Amino acid sequence: MKKYKSLVFALAGLLSLAACEDDDLVPGNPVINPTTQIGAAMFGDSLAFSAEVADNDVPLSTLKAQLFYGDEKVSETVIRTKTKGDYKGKIFVPFYANVPNATATLKLVLQNINFTITEQEFNVPLTRPDYPYLTFVTAGGEYRMERVGLYQYKATSEFPQKIKGYIKTPTVTPAGNEIVFGFANGAIVEGTTNGISFSNSTAGTYDIEFNTLTYAAAPFIKLMFAGSEMAMVDDNNYKIEKEFTKGQVIEVSGIADYDEWWIDSDYFTKGADGKLTFLPVSGKYRVTANFERKYFIVEHMNGNDLSALDKDGNAIWVIGWGIGKPTHENNVNWNPDKALCMAKIGDKKFQLTFKPYPVTFNEDGTIANKYDFKFFYQKGWGGEFVGADYVSTQTDMIYVTDSGNFQAAADLILDPNKWYVITLDVSQGNKKAVMTLTEKK
């Protein structure tokens, strides 16, 4: 009982002491005396500031400079202020697209260790720099972009059909900074040197243009497919996702060397006028124009996702070693990202035309890399066909293993200069597949 009373008295004493300490807490009186004239600046500047700070009652903590565009804080600099004195710093004035010349607000906020603060505000008129020129920087050299109008610049030179680089500004005032413009998240933005992929219809002399207010730039290939503009995925790929109907005639424009492109016979025929006719069943498809390999990758879709056999019955995917499009050099191997989508050519019937990869041999003459591929329900690992799922494999060129992999029969070597056609018929059910492999005539 005595121990209990002692504990109560001790706790009461601590609470009383804490209450007394709260009563004795001195808020302090932080004082700011600016020692720099805060005037106009340009977007992209480092705005200098200085101030004498003091608090005669409580030690100081921080001096913050905060810049606001309207109600939005866009930049901040924090300086530790343990003692009174004169402190100097700089705050960056952000350079953004489509921000008009206007007056920003600079706040100086002084805080002591008891969290008492004092603020002072200053109006900062801001203008966008009117640079005399810009520089387009590429791996092969630099090109001067001349001013041709307010915020508008261009470089005229002999360029390849596609060229990649970033754009930088000069510094026009002692407070200015070099601003760089590059490509990120599907758009041109400031602050990165990731290259912008400019592209023209042909190589030769043409203009590269850029606007430092809107970030509008040119030229870019306007790649049209079936009446819609394809969106850029990366430097080598543009895509479109839309509904196509069997037999639809498709016009393609914006590809300078379109005559050199390989056309996948599972999905299209190409007429003398360059127009394509769509061959598979009607539905939504993703078409990707691959400029590296010069062909269109076609994949069946289910809403915003890729189709899967067990979800909508509209696609079967092939992954494995020894097959590829548009040539055997683009071997899929066991990379699920490169899985080939079989064209749905009828009710529960799918087709894939491919070129086999050339085999290599061991020193003893045996084959070192036999064909080895299989069929999947989706683009990637998951549902797949196993050996027991086939009621027939109508070919003497390859055989199916218990795990569902198709491999070359005996020492058969498929001719890498020929095309072969696989059909997979699941009209009897996904567990009763009929597979055929024939040489394309």
Side-chain angles (χ1 to χ4, degrees), residues 12-28:
L14 288 172
L15 292 172
S16 176
L17 179 60
C20 291
E21 289 179 350
D22 288 341
D23 291 341
D24 294 338
L25 186 66
V26 178

Side-chain angles (χ1 to χ4, degrees), residues 15 20 26 63 81 91 105 110 127 135 141 145-146 155 191 204 215 229 246 283 330 358 364 373 400 433:
L15 292 172
C20 291
V26 178
L63 173 64
T81 54
I91 186 168
T105 301
L110 181 63
T127 56
T135 303
M145 303 184 72
E146 301 293 350
Y215 295 4
E229 185 175 357
K246 183 178 177 66
N330 194 28
D364 62 1
F373 58 88
V400 62

Side-chain angles (χ1 to χ4, degrees), residues 85-269:
D86 193 359
Y87 292 87
K88 299 179 181 180
K90 293 181 178 181
I91 186 168
F92 182 66
V93 181
F95 194 112
Y96 296 143
N98 297 309
V99 175
N101 297 338
T103 298
T105 301
L106 176 68
K107 287 185 180 181
L108 295 182
V109 183
L110 181 63
Q111 179 179 300
N112 65 23
I113 62 171
N114 287 341
F115 303 102
T116 302
I117 64 172
T118 296
E119 295 183 1
Q120 287 198 27
E121 293 187 0
F122 306 87
N123 290 330
V124 183
L126 296 180
T127 56
R128 187 169 298 269
D130 184 17
Y131 297 109
Y133 67 92
L134 302 177
T135 303
F136 178 48
V137 183
T138 74
E142 296 187 355
Y143 301 85
R144 184 180 172 101
M145 303 184 72
E146 301 293 350
R147 182 185 182 279
V148 294
L150 182 61
Y151 311 136
Q152 188 66 34
Y153 304 83
K154 74 175 181 180
T156 303
S157 186
E158 187 170 338
F159 297 113
Q161 190 260 332
K162 295 176 69 176
I163 188 167
K164 186 174 184 179
Y166 68 93
I167 295 168
K168 67 179 181 180
T169 72
T171 55
V172 293
T173 68
N177 294 288
E178 180 182 275
I179 307 298
V180 295
F181 305 91
F183 198 81
N185 300 319
I188 296 176
V189 296
E190 73 287 334
T192 179
T193 58
N194 291 335
I196 306 164
S197 296
F198 291 98
S199 54
N200 194 46
S201 57
T202 60
T205 300
Y206 61 89
D207 297 336
I208 289 179
E209 302 177 68
F210 182 65
N211 186 295
T212 57
L213 171 63
T214 64
Y215 295 4
F220 298 105
I221 291 175
K222 190 172 184 179
L223 179 55
M224 303 297 293
F225 192 93
S228 299
E229 185 175 357
M230 302 186 86
M232 184 178 183
V233 178
D234 55 37
D235 290 347
N236 289 314
N237 294 280
Y238 291 73
K239 74 173 183 179
I240 193 169
E241 297 174 354
K242 65 181 299 181
E243 296 284 338
F244 294 92
T245 57
K246 183 178 177 66
Q248 178 179 347
V249 177
I250 297 168
E251 189 167 353
V252 180
S253 63
I255 301 177
D257 56 354
Y258 178 56
D259 288 343
E260 301 174 14
W261 279 48
W262 176 78
I263 302 301
D264 191 341
S265 61
D266 290 331
Y267 290 96
F268 309 104
T269 58

